[in-house]
Amino acid sequence: MRPVVQQARRVCPVEVAVAVLGGSWKLSIVNALLEHGTLRTSALRRELTGVSERTLTRQLRELEIDGILARTVHPEVPPRVEYSVTELGLTLEDIVEAMNTWGRRIEERLES
Amino acid sequence: MRPVVQQARRVCPVEVAVAVLGGSWKLSIVNALLEHGTLRTSALRRELTGVSERTLTRQLRELEIDGILARTVHPEVPPRVEYSVTELGLTLEDIVEAMNTWGRRIEERLES
């Protein structure tokens, strides 16, 4: 786990979760992988309209360090890199669903 | 709602929720107010070990702009400023609880 997660432990469990998940695109990455299983970086970029290569690479690395995602490199030329959700990542299903539902509520509110 | 929330609407509902809630301390502020009802800024600072005055002021303002918190100024000398959760803020109870539970799971994992 990254230092920012370790520091959040001195505050409260909510901040620990926010330290792991709070960055933009992270829950959407988990959401896409929960939906599709295993995806290559290029496929993830297509799923996440508007994410930059740089941001996606950083968020994938952080999620991997924090044990949420697994990265598999297939020894081909060029190497094929795939991401999938770990067992710990699978436990995020409820949070992703709750955030999805709440986000829709905000969208409806903005449209009204 | 802030521009960053408006922009997240072009991505997906999860990013809309993350845009509103993702910043550090925000869900802990909501958590404290869900627990205690109405709190003054000074009481909030005592609740949230380690938050700086500057960060707390910014996060409170953003949560107010996004309609999650209500700010009440009592015309005393000096004026007394209190925060409470709005109706929209109350709908965050499930997310705060889910993040709390998940954050504990991460803490246990870090202790093992």
Side-chain angles (χ1 to χ4, degrees), chain B residues 32-33 36 38-53 56-57 60 78-83:
Chain B
L33 289 169
H36 299 284
T38 302
L39 285 174
R40 297 173 66 165
T41 317
S42 48
L44 264 169
R45 273 202 80 187
R46 281 194 299 275
E47 277 290 318
L48 304 170
T49 343
V51 68
S52 71
E53 181 86 29
L56 181 59
T57 305
L60 286 171
R80 183 160 47 94
V81 178
E82 288 180 335
Y83 288 88

Side-chain angles (χ1 to χ4, degrees), chain A residues 9 15 25 28 91 102 105, chain B residues 15 25 28 91 102 105:
Chain A
R9 285 175 66 194
E15 282 310 305
W25 299 103
S28 295
T91 64
W102 197 78
R105 184 179 290 203
Chain B
E15 282 311 303
W25 299 103
S28 294
T91 64
W102 197 78
R105 182 181 292 210

Side-chain angles (χ1 to χ4, degrees), chain B residues 18-90:
Chain B
V18 169
V20 176
L21 307 172
S24 54
W25 299 103
K26 285 189 173 179
L27 277 176
S28 294
I29 290 167
V30 172
N31 194 21
L33 289 169
L34 284 171
E35 224 173 290
H36 299 284
T38 302
L39 285 174
R40 297 173 66 165
T41 317
S42 48
L44 264 169
R45 273 202 80 187
R46 281 194 299 275
E47 277 290 318
L48 304 170
T49 343
V51 68
S52 71
E53 181 86 29
R54 200 162 146 251
T55 300
L56 181 59
T57 305
R58 189 186 63 231
Q59 304 301 56
L60 286 171
R61 195 177 330 116
E62 288 190 4
L63 285 167
E64 194 192 342
I65 291 169
D66 289 341
I68 307 300
L69 299 187
R71 180 173 183 266
T72 312
V73 183
H74 298 276
E76 297 161 12
V77 182
R80 183 160 47 94
V81 178
E82 288 180 335
Y83 288 88
S84 52
V85 175
T86 61
E87 249 183 71
L88 178 63
L90 284 173

